[in-house]
């Protein structure tokens, strides 16, 4: 899993425009912890692995429509379709399915 975590973090930085501090905030860990994960010196707890996996999947889906800077903004913005919530908060709280429902509507050509 360690190689996967490092790859996911790199993808989140490159594709999602996220910085270490962004990833730390979403995963509710310190930036030093994210750095250790990136260097392979530590592994995330299973719950945190789920958060990172969901975030990676969501960023990958957003790449179909937006560039890295736009994805970062999209994740941090409050969305009317999420009742004013931010995608990063829902992902952190284990409610990625709500974010994915918006992406499904985007795939179907509905307004986002």
């Amino acid at each position: 899993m360690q190689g996967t975590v490092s790859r996911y973090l790199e993808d989140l930085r490159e594709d999602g425009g996220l910085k270490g501090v962004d990833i730390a905030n979403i995963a509710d860990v310190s930036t030093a912890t994210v750095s250790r994960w990136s260097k392979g010196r530590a592994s995330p707890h299973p719950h945190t692995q789920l958060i990172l996996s969901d975030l990676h999947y969501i960023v990958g889906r957003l790449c179909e429509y937006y560039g890295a800077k736009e994805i970062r903004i999209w994740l941090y913005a409050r969305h009317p379709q999420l009742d004013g919530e931010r995608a990063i908060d829902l992902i952190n709280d284990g409610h990625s399915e709500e974010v994915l429902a918006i992406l499904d509507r985007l795939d179907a050509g509905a307004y986002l």
Side-chain angles (χ1 to χ4, degrees):
M1 179 71 180
Q2 194 52 51
T4 302
V5 171
S6 297
R7 189 183 79 241
Y8 275 18
L9 295 174
E10 185 62 29
D11 290 348
L12 292 173
R13 288 182 177 108
E14 287 183 17
D15 300 336
L18 298 173
K19 300 172 176 83
V21 68
D22 298 319
I23 297 166
N25 288 337
I26 294 167
D28 200 22
V29 298
S30 70
T31 54
T33 297
V34 172
S35 178
R36 285 192 296 274
W37 295 341
S38 295
K39 295 174 183 172
R41 295 184 185 152
S43 292
H45 294 288
H47 174 74
T48 307
Q49 288 177 11
L50 289 173
I51 291 170
L52 294 174
S53 178
D54 283 356
L55 179 61
H56 185 263
Y57 181 72
I58 289 167
V59 165
R61 296 235 356 235
L62 287 168
C63 281
E64 297 174 24
Y65 302 99
Y66 304 114
K69 290 181 183 179
E70 295 169 312
I71 290 172
R72 184 175 184 274
I73 292 168
W74 192 95
L75 290 168
Y76 273 92
R78 295 193 178 277
H79 293 278
Q81 294 184 33
L82 293 173
D83 296 325
E85 296 288 330
R86 300 180 315 158
I88 60 167
D89 295 330
L90 291 170
I91 295 166
N92 176 272
D93 290 340
H95 298 285
S96 296
E97 65 279 350
E98 295 174 39
V99 178
L100 291 170
I102 287 179
L103 297 178
D104 289 341
R105 289 193 294 271
L106 181 61
D107 288 344
Y111 166 78
L112 184 32

mmCIF file of all heavy atoms in Angstrom, residues 50-95:
data_model
loop_
_atom_site.group_PDB
_atom_site.id
_atom_site.type_symbol
_atom_site.label_atom_id
_atom_site.label_comp_id
_atom_site.label_asym_id
_atom_site.label_seq_id
_atom_site.Cartn_x
_atom_site.Cartn_y
_atom_site.Cartn_z
ATOM 1 N N LEU A 50 -9.003 5.203 3.404
ATOM 2 C CA LEU A 50 -10.285 5.330 2.713
ATOM 3 C C LEU A 50 -10.524 6.766 2.260
ATOM 4 O O LEU A 50 -10.993 7.004 1.141
ATOM 5 C CB LEU A 50 -11.428 4.861 3.607
ATOM 6 C CG LEU A 50 -11.508 3.368 3.868
ATOM 7 C CD1 LEU A 50 -12.581 3.068 4.909
ATOM 8 C CD2 LEU A 50 -11.770 2.611 2.581
ATOM 9 N N ILE A 51 -10.213 7.708 3.127
ATOM 10 C CA ILE A 51 -10.378 9.120 2.779
ATOM 11 C C ILE A 51 -9.494 9.472 1.585
ATOM 12 O O ILE A 51 -9.943 10.100 0.622
ATOM 13 C CB ILE A 51 -10.060 10.030 3.986
ATOM 14 C CG1 ILE A 51 -11.133 9.870 5.064
ATOM 15 C CG2 ILE A 51 -9.942 11.492 3.553
ATOM 16 C CD1 ILE A 51 -10.792 10.528 6.374
ATOM 17 N N LEU A 52 -8.234 9.060 1.633
ATOM 18 C CA LEU A 52 -7.307 9.351 0.540
ATOM 19 C C LEU A 52 -7.748 8.665 -0.755
ATOM 20 O O LEU A 52 -7.650 9.254 -1.840
ATOM 21 C CB LEU A 52 -5.889 8.935 0.908
ATOM 22 C CG LEU A 52 -5.224 9.712 2.038
ATOM 23 C CD1 LEU A 52 -3.880 9.098 2.388
ATOM 24 C CD2 LEU A 52 -5.083 11.185 1.670
ATOM 25 N N SER A 53 -8.237 7.457 -0.632
ATOM 26 C CA SER A 53 -8.713 6.734 -1.810
ATOM 27 C C SER A 53 -9.913 7.437 -2.434
ATOM 28 O O SER A 53 -9.983 7.610 -3.658
ATOM 29 C CB SER A 53 -9.067 5.301 -1.417
ATOM 30 O OG SER A 53 -9.575 4.603 -2.513
ATOM 31 N N ASP A 54 -10.865 7.848 -1.609
ATOM 32 C CA ASP A 54 -12.027 8.585 -2.112
ATOM 33 C C ASP A 54 -11.606 9.897 -2.752
ATOM 34 O O ASP A 54 -12.082 10.258 -3.834
ATOM 35 C CB ASP A 54 -13.026 8.865 -0.982
ATOM 36 C CG ASP A 54 -13.858 7.659 -0.594
ATOM 37 O OD1 ASP A 54 -13.731 6.595 -1.250
ATOM 38 O OD2 ASP A 54 -14.635 7.779 0.369
ATOM 39 N N LEU A 55 -10.711 10.615 -2.090
ATOM 40 C CA LEU A 55 -10.236 11.888 -2.618
ATOM 41 C C LEU A 55 -9.551 11.680 -3.967
ATOM 42 O O LEU A 55 -9.792 12.423 -4.915
ATOM 43 C CB LEU A 55 -9.285 12.555 -1.624
ATOM 44 C CG LEU A 55 -8.682 13.896 -2.046
ATOM 45 C CD1 LEU A 55 -9.769 14.935 -2.276
ATOM 46 C CD2 LEU A 55 -7.693 14.371 -0.979
ATOM 47 N N HIS A 56 -8.725 10.658 -4.058
ATOM 48 C CA HIS A 56 -8.027 10.348 -5.305
ATOM 49 C C HIS A 56 -9.033 10.049 -6.419
ATOM 50 O O HIS A 56 -8.900 10.534 -7.546
ATOM 51 C CB HIS A 56 -7.084 9.167 -5.083
ATOM 52 C CG HIS A 56 -6.244 8.842 -6.263
ATOM 53 N ND1 HIS A 56 -6.587 7.856 -7.156
ATOM 54 C CD2 HIS A 56 -5.078 9.370 -6.698
ATOM 55 C CE1 HIS A 56 -5.665 7.788 -8.099
ATOM 56 N NE2 HIS A 56 -4.735 8.690 -7.842
ATOM 57 N N TYR A 57 -10.038 9.258 -6.115
ATOM 58 C CA TYR A 57 -11.062 8.916 -7.102
ATOM 59 C C TYR A 57 -11.829 10.156 -7.552
ATOM 60 O O TYR A 57 -12.065 10.356 -8.751
ATOM 61 C CB TYR A 57 -12.011 7.862 -6.525
ATOM 62 C CG TYR A 57 -13.085 7.438 -7.487
ATOM 63 C CD1 TYR A 57 -12.770 6.638 -8.594
ATOM 64 C CD2 TYR A 57 -14.401 7.817 -7.296
ATOM 65 C CE1 TYR A 57 -13.761 6.254 -9.486
ATOM 66 C CE2 TYR A 57 -15.397 7.422 -8.183
ATOM 67 C CZ TYR A 57 -15.069 6.651 -9.272
ATOM 68 O OH TYR A 57 -16.054 6.268 -10.155
ATOM 69 N N ILE A 58 -12.221 10.988 -6.614
ATOM 70 C CA ILE A 58 -12.971 12.202 -6.927
ATOM 71 C C ILE A 58 -12.132 13.147 -7.770
ATOM 72 O O ILE A 58 -12.604 13.701 -8.770
ATOM 73 C CB ILE A 58 -13.476 12.870 -5.632
ATOM 74 C CG1 ILE A 58 -14.596 12.010 -5.030
ATOM 75 C CG2 ILE A 58 -13.945 14.301 -5.886
ATOM 76 C CD1 ILE A 58 -14.972 12.359 -3.609
ATOM 77 N N VAL A 59 -10.869 13.336 -7.406
ATOM 78 C CA VAL A 59 -9.984 14.200 -8.194
ATOM 79 C C VAL A 59 -9.835 13.634 -9.606
ATOM 80 O O VAL A 59 -9.878 14.378 -10.586
ATOM 81 C CB VAL A 59 -8.615 14.386 -7.498
ATOM 82 C CG1 VAL A 59 -7.576 14.966 -8.453
ATOM 83 C CG2 VAL A 59 -8.765 15.287 -6.277
ATOM 84 N N GLY A 60 -9.691 12.325 -9.720
ATOM 85 C CA GLY A 60 -9.591 11.705 -11.036
ATOM 86 C C GLY A 60 -10.818 11.972 -11.898
ATOM 87 O O GLY A 60 -10.705 12.239 -13.095
ATOM 88 N N ARG A 61 -11.972 11.907 -11.293
ATOM 89 C CA ARG A 61 -13.216 12.196 -12.038
ATOM 90 C C ARG A 61 -13.290 13.662 -12.415
ATOM 91 O O ARG A 61 -13.719 13.998 -13.515
ATOM 92 C CB ARG A 61 -14.429 11.799 -11.207
ATOM 93 C CG ARG A 61 -14.498 10.328 -10.924
ATOM 94 C CD ARG A 61 -15.713 9.554 -11.286
ATOM 95 N NE ARG A 61 -16.881 10.153 -11.829
ATOM 96 C CZ ARG A 61 -18.105 10.017 -11.309
ATOM 97 N NH1 ARG A 61 -18.287 9.315 -10.207
ATOM 98 N NH2 ARG A 61 -19.139 10.553 -11.916
ATOM 99 N N LEU A 62 -12.862 14.539 -11.518
ATOM 100 C CA LEU A 62 -12.896 15.971 -11.808
ATOM 101 C C LEU A 62 -11.923 16.350 -12.920
ATOM 102 O O LEU A 62 -12.150 17.325 -13.637
ATOM 103 C CB LEU A 62 -12.602 16.775 -10.540
ATOM 104 C CG LEU A 62 -13.715 16.817 -9.501
ATOM 105 C CD1 LEU A 62 -13.205 17.396 -8.187
ATOM 106 C CD2 LEU A 62 -14.907 17.620 -10.016
ATOM 107 N N CYS A 63 -10.848 15.565 -13.081
ATOM 108 C CA CYS A 63 -9.861 15.825 -14.142
ATOM 109 C C CYS A 63 -10.488 15.764 -15.528
ATOM 110 O O CYS A 63 -9.956 16.348 -16.473
ATOM 111 C CB CYS A 63 -8.710 14.826 -14.066
ATOM 112 S SG CYS A 63 -7.515 15.199 -12.804
ATOM 113 N N GLU A 64 -11.593 15.066 -15.650
ATOM 114 C CA GLU A 64 -12.265 14.971 -16.938
ATOM 115 C C GLU A 64 -12.868 16.316 -17.355
ATOM 116 O O GLU A 64 -13.153 16.518 -18.541
ATOM 117 C CB GLU A 64 -13.370 13.909 -16.873
ATOM 118 C CG GLU A 64 -12.847 12.511 -16.592
ATOM 119 C CD GLU A 64 -13.964 11.503 -16.387
ATOM 120 O OE1 GLU A 64 -15.093 11.733 -16.878
ATOM 121 O OE2 GLU A 64 -13.702 10.476 -15.742
ATOM 122 N N TYR A 65 -13.053 17.220 -16.391
ATOM 123 C CA TYR A 65 -13.743 18.483 -16.663
ATOM 124 C C TYR A 65 -12.916 19.728 -16.341
ATOM 125 O O TYR A 65 -13.151 20.778 -16.929
ATOM 126 C CB TYR A 65 -15.048 18.550 -15.851
ATOM 127 C CG TYR A 65 -15.966 17.415 -16.161
ATOM 128 C CD1 TYR A 65 -16.031 16.305 -15.334
ATOM 129 C CD2 TYR A 65 -16.745 17.427 -17.313
ATOM 130 C CE1 TYR A 65 -16.867 15.239 -15.634
ATOM 131 C CE2 TYR A 65 -17.583 16.367 -17.619
ATOM 132 C CZ TYR A 65 -17.636 15.277 -16.771
ATOM 133 O OH TYR A 65 -18.460 14.220 -17.076
ATOM 134 N N TYR A 66 -11.996 19.611 -15.396
ATOM 135 C CA TYR A 66 -11.291 20.785 -14.891
ATOM 136 C C TYR A 66 -9.786 20.574 -14.851
ATOM 137 O O TYR A 66 -9.313 19.441 -14.782
ATOM 138 C CB TYR A 66 -11.757 21.123 -13.468
ATOM 139 C CG TYR A 66 -13.243 21.335 -13.324
ATOM 140 C CD1 TYR A 66 -14.016 20.462 -12.577
ATOM 141 C CD2 TYR A 66 -13.872 22.419 -13.928
ATOM 142 C CE1 TYR A 66 -15.386 20.651 -12.434
ATOM 143 C CE2 TYR A 66 -15.240 22.619 -13.792
ATOM 144 C CZ TYR A 66 -15.994 21.736 -13.041
ATOM 145 O OH TYR A 66 -17.332 21.931 -12.912
ATOM 146 N N GLY A 67 -9.059 21.688 -14.809
ATOM 147 C CA GLY A 67 -7.626 21.658 -14.587
ATOM 148 C C GLY A 67 -7.325 21.617 -13.094
ATOM 149 O O GLY A 67 -8.224 21.771 -12.255
ATOM 150 N N ALA A 68 -6.052 21.460 -12.756
ATOM 151 C CA ALA A 68 -5.641 21.298 -11.357
ATOM 152 C C ALA A 68 -6.081 22.467 -10.474
ATOM 153 O O ALA A 68 -6.613 22.258 -9.381
ATOM 154 C CB ALA A 68 -4.131 21.101 -11.273
ATOM 155 N N LYS A 69 -5.876 23.682 -10.914
ATOM 156 C CA LYS A 69 -6.253 24.841 -10.088
ATOM 157 C C LYS A 69 -7.759 24.894 -9.876
ATOM 158 O O LYS A 69 -8.234 25.215 -8.788
ATOM 159 C CB LYS A 69 -5.758 26.133 -10.729
ATOM 160 C CG LYS A 69 -4.264 26.292 -10.676
ATOM 161 C CD LYS A 69 -3.833 27.596 -11.311
ATOM 162 C CE LYS A 69 -2.319 27.699 -11.321
ATOM 163 N NZ LYS A 69 -1.872 28.944 -11.950
ATOM 164 N N GLU A 70 -8.506 24.577 -10.925
ATOM 165 C CA GLU A 70 -9.968 24.582 -10.813
ATOM 166 C C GLU A 70 -10.453 23.484 -9.874
ATOM 167 O O GLU A 70 -11.410 23.686 -9.121
ATOM 168 C CB GLU A 70 -10.600 24.395 -12.189
ATOM 169 C CG GLU A 70 -10.335 25.542 -13.137
ATOM 170 C CD GLU A 70 -10.740 25.215 -14.557
ATOM 171 O OE1 GLU A 70 -10.377 24.120 -15.046
ATOM 172 O OE2 GLU A 70 -11.424 26.054 -15.172
ATOM 173 N N ILE A 71 -9.795 22.336 -9.904
ATOM 174 C CA ILE A 71 -10.195 21.229 -9.023
ATOM 175 C C ILE A 71 -10.006 21.622 -7.570
ATOM 176 O O ILE A 71 -10.878 21.393 -6.728
ATOM 177 C CB ILE A 71 -9.408 19.949 -9.355
ATOM 178 C CG1 ILE A 71 -9.853 19.402 -10.709
ATOM 179 C CG2 ILE A 71 -9.578 18.893 -8.256
ATOM 180 C CD1 ILE A 71 -9.021 18.255 -11.224
ATOM 181 N N ARG A 72 -8.873 22.238 -7.268
ATOM 182 C CA ARG A 72 -8.626 22.673 -5.885
ATOM 183 C C ARG A 72 -9.718 23.637 -5.425
ATOM 184 O O ARG A 72 -10.276 23.502 -4.343
ATOM 185 C CB ARG A 72 -7.255 23.327 -5.769
ATOM 186 C CG ARG A 72 -6.909 23.710 -4.343
ATOM 187 C CD ARG A 72 -5.477 24.259 -4.262
ATOM 188 N NE ARG A 72 -5.131 24.518 -2.890
ATOM 189 C CZ ARG A 72 -5.421 25.664 -2.261
ATOM 190 N NH1 ARG A 72 -6.057 26.636 -2.889
ATOM 191 N NH2 ARG A 72 -5.081 25.825 -0.995
ATOM 192 N N ILE A 73 -10.042 24.586 -6.270
ATOM 193 C CA ILE A 73 -11.096 25.552 -5.933
ATOM 194 C C ILE A 73 -12.434 24.843 -5.776
ATOM 195 O O ILE A 73 -13.190 25.111 -4.834
ATOM 196 C CB ILE A 73 -11.170 26.668 -7.000
ATOM 197 C CG1 ILE A 73 -9.906 27.534 -6.919
ATOM 198 C CG2 ILE A 73 -12.431 27.506 -6.836
ATOM 199 C CD1 ILE A 73 -9.729 28.475 -8.092
ATOM 200 N N TRP A 74 -12.730 23.905 -6.682
ATOM 201 C CA TRP A 74 -13.996 23.165 -6.635
ATOM 202 C C TRP A 74 -14.124 22.419 -5.316
ATOM 203 O O TRP A 74 -15.190 22.404 -4.699
ATOM 204 C CB TRP A 74 -14.058 22.196 -7.814
ATOM 205 C CG TRP A 74 -15.401 21.581 -8.048
ATOM 206 C CD1 TRP A 74 -16.350 22.014 -8.911
ATOM 207 C CD2 TRP A 74 -15.939 20.414 -7.413
ATOM 208 N NE1 TRP A 74 -17.454 21.192 -8.847
ATOM 209 C CE2 TRP A 74 -17.224 20.197 -7.946
ATOM 210 C CE3 TRP A 74 -15.464 19.532 -6.451
ATOM 211 C CZ2 TRP A 74 -18.041 19.139 -7.542
ATOM 212 C CZ3 TRP A 74 -16.273 18.480 -6.041
ATOM 213 C CH2 TRP A 74 -17.553 18.294 -6.585
ATOM 214 N N LEU A 75 -13.055 21.788 -4.876
ATOM 215 C CA LEU A 75 -13.095 21.033 -3.623
ATOM 216 C C LEU A 75 -13.330 21.927 -2.410
ATOM 217 O O LEU A 75 -13.980 21.523 -1.451
ATOM 218 C CB LEU A 75 -11.793 20.244 -3.448
ATOM 219 C CG LEU A 75 -11.589 19.072 -4.403
ATOM 220 C CD1 LEU A 75 -10.156 18.571 -4.319
ATOM 221 C CD2 LEU A 75 -12.569 17.950 -4.104
ATOM 222 N N TYR A 76 -12.799 23.145 -2.451
ATOM 223 C CA TYR A 76 -12.913 24.064 -1.321
ATOM 224 C C TYR A 76 -14.191 24.915 -1.347
ATOM 225 O O TYR A 76 -14.574 25.480 -0.328
ATOM 226 C CB TYR A 76 -11.706 24.997 -1.267
ATOM 227 C CG TYR A 76 -10.546 24.417 -0.507
ATOM 228 C CD1 TYR A 76 -9.550 23.689 -1.164
ATOM 229 C CD2 TYR A 76 -10.433 24.585 0.860
ATOM 230 C CE1 TYR A 76 -8.482 23.153 -0.464
ATOM 231 C CE2 TYR A 76 -9.367 24.052 1.566
ATOM 232 C CZ TYR A 76 -8.395 23.337 0.895
ATOM 233 O OH TYR A 76 -7.338 22.801 1.579
ATOM 234 N N ALA A 77 -14.823 25.013 -2.509
ATOM 235 C CA ALA A 77 -16.003 25.878 -2.639
ATOM 236 C C ALA A 77 -17.223 25.266 -1.960
ATOM 237 O O ALA A 77 -17.367 24.053 -1.882
ATOM 238 C CB ALA A 77 -16.304 26.112 -4.118
ATOM 239 N N ARG A 78 -18.090 26.135 -1.501
ATOM 240 C CA ARG A 78 -19.384 25.674 -0.997
ATOM 241 C C ARG A 78 -20.289 25.468 -2.210
ATOM 242 O O ARG A 78 -20.303 26.289 -3.111
ATOM 243 C CB ARG A 78 -19.982 26.694 -0.045
ATOM 244 C CG ARG A 78 -19.147 26.842 1.217
ATOM 245 C CD ARG A 78 -19.885 27.600 2.307
ATOM 246 N NE ARG A 78 -19.070 27.670 3.504
ATOM 247 C CZ ARG A 78 -18.976 26.709 4.414
ATOM 248 N NH1 ARG A 78 -19.663 25.602 4.279
ATOM 249 N NH2 ARG A 78 -18.208 26.855 5.476
ATOM 250 N N HIS A 79 -21.015 24.355 -2.213
ATOM 251 C CA HIS A 79 -21.837 23.999 -3.365
ATOM 252 C C HIS A 79 -23.310 24.003 -2.992
ATOM 253 O O HIS A 79 -23.706 23.386 -1.999
ATOM 254 C CB HIS A 79 -21.472 22.601 -3.875
ATOM 255 C CG HIS A 79 -20.110 22.524 -4.449
ATOM 256 N ND1 HIS A 79 -19.833 22.901 -5.737
ATOM 257 C CD2 HIS A 79 -18.928 22.137 -3.913
ATOM 258 C CE1 HIS A 79 -18.543 22.735 -5.975
ATOM 259 N NE2 HIS A 79 -17.975 22.275 -4.876
ATOM 260 N N PRO A 80 -24.130 24.672 -3.817
ATOM 261 C CA PRO A 80 -25.569 24.648 -3.566
ATOM 262 C C PRO A 80 -26.127 23.225 -3.606
ATOM 263 O O PRO A 80 -27.035 22.890 -2.854
ATOM 264 C CB PRO A 80 -26.168 25.486 -4.693
ATOM 265 C CG PRO A 80 -25.045 26.148 -5.388
ATOM 266 C CD PRO A 80 -23.777 25.491 -4.967
ATOM 267 N N GLN A 81 -25.560 22.372 -4.468
ATOM 268 C CA GLN A 81 -26.057 21.003 -4.576
ATOM 269 C C GLN A 81 -25.632 20.141 -3.387
ATOM 270 O O GLN A 81 -26.083 19.008 -3.245
ATOM 271 C CB GLN A 81 -25.557 20.371 -5.877
ATOM 272 C CG GLN A 81 -26.151 21.045 -7.099
ATOM 273 C CD GLN A 81 -25.725 20.366 -8.374
ATOM 274 O OE1 GLN A 81 -25.530 19.155 -8.408
ATOM 275 N NE2 GLN A 81 -25.587 21.127 -9.432
ATOM 276 N N LEU A 82 -24.760 20.685 -2.550
ATOM 277 C CA LEU A 82 -24.349 20.001 -1.320
ATOM 278 C C LEU A 82 -24.883 20.746 -0.094
ATOM 279 O O LEU A 82 -24.311 20.685 0.980
ATOM 280 C CB LEU A 82 -22.817 19.902 -1.242
ATOM 281 C CG LEU A 82 -22.146 19.013 -2.281
ATOM 282 C CD1 LEU A 82 -20.632 19.155 -2.197
ATOM 283 C CD2 LEU A 82 -22.555 17.564 -2.086
ATOM 284 N N ASP A 83 -25.975 21.478 -0.298
ATOM 285 C CA ASP A 83 -26.590 22.261 0.777
ATOM 286 C C ASP A 83 -25.592 23.225 1.418
ATOM 287 O O ASP A 83 -25.583 23.411 2.638
ATOM 288 C CB ASP A 83 -27.203 21.349 1.846
ATOM 289 C CG ASP A 83 -28.353 20.524 1.303
ATOM 290 O OD1 ASP A 83 -29.097 21.032 0.432
ATOM 291 O OD2 ASP A 83 -28.518 19.375 1.747
ATOM 292 N N GLY A 84 -24.734 23.814 0.582
ATOM 293 C CA GLY A 84 -23.774 24.796 1.069
ATOM 294 C C GLY A 84 -22.530 24.200 1.700
ATOM 295 O O GLY A 84 -21.676 24.923 2.203
ATOM 296 N N GLU A 85 -22.411 22.894 1.683
ATOM 297 C CA GLU A 85 -21.228 22.228 2.251
ATOM 298 C C GLU A 85 -20.087 22.257 1.240
ATOM 299 O O GLU A 85 -20.289 22.458 0.050
ATOM 300 C CB GLU A 85 -21.555 20.771 2.598
ATOM 301 C CG GLU A 85 -22.594 20.600 3.671
ATOM 302 C CD GLU A 85 -22.104 20.968 5.051
ATOM 303 O OE1 GLU A 85 -20.899 20.821 5.317
ATOM 304 O OE2 GLU A 85 -22.934 21.399 5.856
ATOM 305 N N ARG A 86 -18.878 22.036 1.739
ATOM 306 C CA ARG A 86 -17.692 21.934 0.889
ATOM 307 C C ARG A 86 -17.371 20.463 0.669
ATOM 308 O O ARG A 86 -17.490 19.645 1.584
ATOM 309 C CB ARG A 86 -16.496 22.630 1.540
ATOM 310 C CG ARG A 86 -16.736 24.104 1.795
ATOM 311 C CD ARG A 86 -15.575 24.810 2.442
ATOM 312 N NE ARG A 86 -15.005 24.055 3.552
ATOM 313 C CZ ARG A 86 -13.770 24.236 4.004
ATOM 314 N NH1 ARG A 86 -12.977 25.124 3.445
ATOM 315 N NH2 ARG A 86 -13.320 23.532 5.021
ATOM 316 N N ALA A 87 -16.945 20.132 -0.542
ATOM 317 C CA ALA A 87 -16.626 18.743 -0.868
ATOM 318 C C ALA A 87 -15.545 18.188 0.060
ATOM 319 O O ALA A 87 -15.637 17.043 0.502
ATOM 320 C CB ALA A 87 -16.194 18.633 -2.331
ATOM 321 N N ILE A 88 -14.542 18.998 0.390
ATOM 322 C CA ILE A 88 -13.458 18.496 1.245
ATOM 323 C C ILE A 88 -13.973 18.077 2.618
ATOM 324 O O ILE A 88 -13.493 17.103 3.184
ATOM 325 C CB ILE A 88 -12.293 19.496 1.383
ATOM 326 C CG1 ILE A 88 -12.746 20.801 1.997
ATOM 327 C CG2 ILE A 88 -11.597 19.711 0.064
ATOM 328 C CD1 ILE A 88 -11.611 21.705 2.451
ATOM 329 N N ASP A 89 -14.944 18.810 3.133
ATOM 330 C CA ASP A 89 -15.494 18.465 4.446
ATOM 331 C C ASP A 89 -16.292 17.166 4.385
ATOM 332 O O ASP A 89 -16.206 16.332 5.290
ATOM 333 C CB ASP A 89 -16.369 19.600 4.977
ATOM 334 C CG ASP A 89 -15.589 20.868 5.249
ATOM 335 O OD1 ASP A 89 -14.386 20.779 5.581
ATOM 336 O OD2 ASP A 89 -16.169 21.965 5.108
ATOM 337 N N LEU A 90 -17.056 17.009 3.318
ATOM 338 C CA LEU A 90 -17.842 15.778 3.175
ATOM 339 C C LEU A 90 -16.930 14.572 2.997
ATOM 340 O O LEU A 90 -17.191 13.507 3.570
ATOM 341 C CB LEU A 90 -18.807 15.905 2.000
ATOM 342 C CG LEU A 90 -19.947 16.906 2.228
ATOM 343 C CD1 LEU A 90 -20.702 17.156 0.936
ATOM 344 C CD2 LEU A 90 -20.879 16.428 3.319
ATOM 345 N N ILE A 91 -15.869 14.729 2.215
ATOM 346 C CA ILE A 91 -14.919 13.629 2.032
ATOM 347 C C ILE A 91 -14.297 13.256 3.374
ATOM 348 O O ILE A 91 -14.213 12.084 3.728
ATOM 349 C CB ILE A 91 -13.846 14.006 0.993
ATOM 350 C CG1 ILE A 91 -14.482 14.188 -0.388
ATOM 351 C CG2 ILE A 91 -12.740 12.949 0.954
ATOM 352 C CD1 ILE A 91 -13.587 14.883 -1.393
ATOM 353 N N ASN A 92 -13.886 14.256 4.136
ATOM 354 C CA ASN A 92 -13.286 14.013 5.452
ATOM 355 C C ASN A 92 -14.245 13.329 6.402
ATOM 356 O O ASN A 92 -13.848 12.476 7.191
ATOM 357 C CB ASN A 92 -12.788 15.324 6.064
ATOM 358 C CG ASN A 92 -12.244 15.134 7.456
ATOM 359 O OD1 ASN A 92 -12.996 15.206 8.428
ATOM 360 N ND2 ASN A 92 -10.964 14.867 7.559
ATOM 361 N N ASP A 93 -15.518 13.665 6.302
ATOM 362 C CA ASP A 93 -16.530 13.102 7.204
ATOM 363 C C ASP A 93 -17.057 11.749 6.732
ATOM 364 O O ASP A 93 -17.980 11.200 7.334
ATOM 365 C CB ASP A 93 -17.706 14.071 7.351
ATOM 366 C CG ASP A 93 -17.334 15.317 8.129
ATOM 367 O OD1 ASP A 93 -16.328 15.289 8.873
ATOM 368 O OD2 ASP A 93 -18.047 16.340 7.990
ATOM 369 N N GLY A 94 -16.486 11.217 5.641
ATOM 370 C CA GLY A 94 -16.922 9.918 5.151
ATOM 371 C C GLY A 94 -18.192 9.962 4.326
ATOM 372 O O GLY A 94 -18.885 8.950 4.191
ATOM 373 N N HIS A 95 -18.508 11.122 3.765
ATOM 374 C CA HIS A 95 -19.715 11.282 2.958
ATOM 375 C C HIS A 95 -19.378 11.533 1.491
ATOM 376 O O HIS A 95 -20.013 12.352 0.824
ATOM 377 C CB HIS A 95 -20.583 12.412 3.505
ATOM 378 C CG HIS A 95 -21.080 12.174 4.885
ATOM 379 N ND1 HIS A 95 -22.093 11.283 5.161
ATOM 380 C CD2 HIS A 95 -20.687 12.677 6.074
ATOM 381 C CE1 HIS A 95 -22.307 11.258 6.473
ATOM 382 N NE2 HIS A 95 -21.462 12.092 7.047
#
